[in-house]
Amino acid sequence: MIKQLKNFTLNLIAGANVAVVVLMLLVGYSDHLHPGSHPWMSCAGMVFPFAVLANLLFVPFWVFFSAKRLLIPIIGFALAYVPIHIYLPLHFGQEEAPPGALRIVSYNVAGYGGNFKYEHALDTIMGYFKRVQPDIVCTQEDMTSKWHNTQKRYAEVFAYNDTVHVSKPGSHLTNSVGLHTRFPILRRERIDYESKTNGSVAWFLLIEGDTVIVLNNHLENTHLSNKDRESYQKMLKGGVSRDTVKRETTLLIDKLGEAMVYRSRHADIIHQYVEDHRRYPIIVCGDFNDTPISYTRHAIAQGLTDCFVASGCGLGLSFNRKGFNFRIDHLMCSEHFTPYQCEIDAKIDVSDHYPLLCWLKMREKP
């Protein structure tokens, strides 16, 4: 009787483990679903790390109580290798960038006032760039109208600077994306898609005799109000009723899903732009406002190398608001480059984002 009860219990737990594995696979590969057709399911990638953790918790249990059932979580991890590697790349002992590699930085500077403990945020950011000495910096929320001396300050560090306002006329918010570099800017192109406050701009740079496109993006934000964010944080702490959790969760998913539909359209247009300019070496970066397991990242990454996935290590959490810690800043490159030592620099907290840094070495032409 005891043996039968034990087997029944183990089989019941094994069933739960299988269910977790199925969930992990569904959310792990949800980035292949277009949000236009599956707006709710497109949000599933946000819970992927929790599904992975849940599957991991079964491992020690099976080690102690049923070694043969240990195959369930192991097979689950094997099947989910691709999304796990995208979400949590582990490149220990990374090879140093070779001579001649380009130092690239993508940074949402939050209008130079994202962290209000810094009275002179612009000074701190300029000091950071002087210390890091990047060759190319892509900035988002580079609101030059707010700081009239911004371009002058950038000119102290970089030879070539350009900032483009991407907000539509009449919008209550202003937004700009910028490029700051030591390489000559040949021209720029605005990527046309529907958005009131966000946008993408492609700059054509002359780098050692080659024309290189740097495509800087600030994609549609989540449109979550401060009240929405506070409600979410309260739910995380468990301080609300069950009915409130259900109502707020539905509202939150609806808003996130709507924003993902917008970003999916942007991502498709950006991907097509990259396809149309395959003859050029291309660098794509910016604040995508979407996690590693999302249609946005998946669509833009097609035919490109995700530099953090290829050469980074760890979660790479680039958005640092409490309760909203995700990697939403991304950097990608065409096959003309090899990425090295991609990282999120959490030491500089002037903005609500951390800067994303990477070395890119141009491959020799065949």
Side-chain angles (χ1 to χ4, degrees):
M1 182 67 180
I2 295 178
K3 185 178 180 180
Q4 290 177 335
L5 182 60
K6 178 183 177 182
N7 287 334
F8 174 78
T9 303
L10 291 177
N11 287 334
L12 193 65
I13 296 173
N17 195 172
V18 170
V20 167
V21 167
V22 171
L23 174 65
M24 181 175 65
L25 295 176
L26 286 174
V27 299
Y29 291 99
S30 63
D31 57 355
H32 291 64
L33 298 175
H34 198 288
S37 303
H38 307 84
W40 273 51
M41 191 60 191
S42 63
C43 301
M46 298 180 68
V47 303
F48 179 67
F50 301 104
V52 172
L53 180 60
N55 190 47
L56 184 62
L57 292 176
F58 283 99
V59 172
F61 179 84
W62 295 132
V63 167
F64 285 104
F65 294 102
S66 180
K68 65 179 181 180
R69 291 181 175 87
L70 185 59
L71 284 173
I72 299 174
I74 291 175
I75 291 174
F77 285 134
L79 294 174
Y81 171 77
V82 172
I84 289 173
H85 179 62
I86 290 172
Y87 208 99
L88 182 65
L90 297 174
H91 299 282
F92 299 107
Q94 301 176 59
E95 181 182 355
E96 289 190 10
L102 304 174
R103 184 63 154 164
I104 314 294
V105 174
S106 179
Y107 192 13
N108 184 324
V109 295
Y112 307 100
N115 189 332
F116 299 102
K117 75 177 184 180
Y118 289 89
E119 186 176 350
H120 302 288
L122 182 60
D123 293 339
T124 306
I125 291 174
M126 288 300 109
Y128 176 73
F129 288 148
K130 289 178 181 179
R131 185 171 71 255
V132 174
Q133 294 187 324
D135 299 294
I136 299 171
V137 171
C138 294
T139 51
Q140 302 87 43
E141 297 188 24
D142 190 347
M143 271 72 97
T144 56
S145 60
K146 192 175 180 180
W147 300 88
H148 297 295
N149 66 339
T150 301
Q151 291 299 318
K152 181 179 178 181
R153 296 295 305 278
Y154 271 110
E156 297 173 3
V157 185
F158 302 99
Y160 303 93
N161 301 277
D162 189 33
T163 302
V164 179
H165 289 275
V166 295
S167 305
K168 293 291 177 66
S171 172
H172 68 287
L173 296 173
T174 58
N175 192 10
S176 302
V177 295
L179 185 82
H180 311 283
T181 178
R182 66 182 182 87
F183 299 109
I185 298 174
L186 301 177
R187 61 189 176 93
R188 72 175 184 226
E189 291 181 353
R190 176 81 181 268
I191 312 302
D192 187 31
Y193 55 71
E194 184 61 34
S195 179
K196 289 184 178 180
T197 59
N198 302 92
S200 302
V201 179
W203 280 272
F204 291 69
L205 306 185
L206 182 62
I207 300 179
E208 298 178 359
D210 285 315
T211 299
V212 176
I213 296 177
V214 178
L215 179 50
N216 187 7
N217 307 274
H218 190 198
L219 304 187
E220 200 76 16
N221 61 34
T222 58
H223 299 296
L224 295 180
S225 64
N226 289 332
K227 183 180 178 181
D228 294 331
R229 297 177 190 274
E230 289 173 4
S231 297
Y232 171 71
Q233 290 173 342
K234 286 181 181 178
M235 285 192 293
L236 289 180
K237 295 176 181 177
V240 294
S241 67
R242 181 186 235 172
D243 290 342
T244 301
V245 169
K246 185 177 180 180
R247 184 177 64 252
E248 293 295 335
T249 300
T250 301
L251 179 64
L252 187 66
I253 293 177
D254 282 342
K255 285 192 174 184
L256 292 175
E258 182 181 358
M260 286 180 176
V261 171
Y262 272 103
R263 287 195 295 273
S264 68
R265 297 169 187 162
H266 303 168
D268 291 337
I269 292 170
I270 292 165
H271 170 66
Q272 189 57 54
Y273 184 90
V274 171
E275 288 297 307
D276 293 342
H277 294 79
R278 278 284 173 196
R279 62 190 181 278
Y280 295 103
I282 298 177
I283 301 168
V284 180
C285 65
D287 177 4
F288 289 10
N289 270 311
D290 244 327
T291 67
I293 308 299
S294 64
Y295 178 85
T296 301
R297 192 217 69 92
H298 172 74
I300 297 176
Q302 290 184 80
L304 298 173
T305 299
D306 186 317
C307 298
F308 191 86
V309 174
S311 65
C313 189
L315 292 171
L317 305 177
S318 64
F319 190 59
N320 58 39
R321 280 195 179 182
K322 189 175 181 180
F324 292 86
N325 302 98
F326 299 103
R327 186 166 88 243
I328 61 175
D329 299 88
H330 304 276
L331 175 63
M332 300 168 187
C333 64
S334 62
E335 68 275 6
H336 302 84
F337 299 97
T338 301
Y340 295 88
Q341 298 175 307
C342 197
E343 63 175 335
I344 301 295
D345 192 345
K347 298 185 189 71
I348 176 166
D349 59 350
V350 186
S351 167
D352 55 358
H353 290 246
Y354 296 128
L356 170 61
L357 300 87
C358 190
W359 293 97
L360 296 181
K361 175 63 176 176
M362 182 85 78
R363 292 174 177 168
E364 295 184 5
K365 297 180 181 179

